[in-house]
Amino acid sequence: MAWQLQEAKQRFSEVVRRALTSGPQVVTRHGRAAVVVVSAEDFGRLRGAGFKQFLRSAPDISRLDIRRDRRPGRRVAL
């Protein structure tokens, strides 16, 4: 649901209740989306899904056997 800023200010408790029960609530200003009110749980889930967290959750690569082949490359006739 989209709320006009004036209405959202007057009915802030309702905006918060709906964010908790129905999902994100959009607040508009001058007819354009300005902000979104979300529950703390949703915000934490969105914020924790960053690239840094993704890298930290990756498997331990120190156990991989990654060695460079030291033999010279093949000769190619041009």
Side-chain angles (χ1 to χ4, degrees), residues 1 9 26 48 53 66:
M1 175 172 186
K9 287 181 354 183
V26 177
Q53 183 65 25
I66 304 175

Side-chain angles (χ1 to χ4, degrees), residues 5-64:
L5 180 59
Q6 275 305 115
E7 184 181 9
K9 287 181 354 183
Q10 293 169 359
R11 298 177 58 194
F12 186 68
S13 294
E14 177 70 11
V15 174
V16 170
R17 186 186 68 72
R18 288 199 185 182
L20 292 170
T21 60
S22 303
Q25 302 294 302
V26 177
V27 179
T28 62
R29 188 166 76 181
H30 304 296
R32 300 177 70 181
V35 298
V36 178
V37 178
V38 297
S39 69
E41 181 182 332
D42 288 345
F43 179 72
R45 191 171 33 250
L46 290 171
R47 191 169 183 202
F51 185 67
K52 187 176 180 181
Q53 183 65 25
F54 169 74
L55 291 177
R56 286 184 173 168
S57 67
D60 182 16
I61 61 170
S62 65
R63 297 182 302 171
L64 293 177

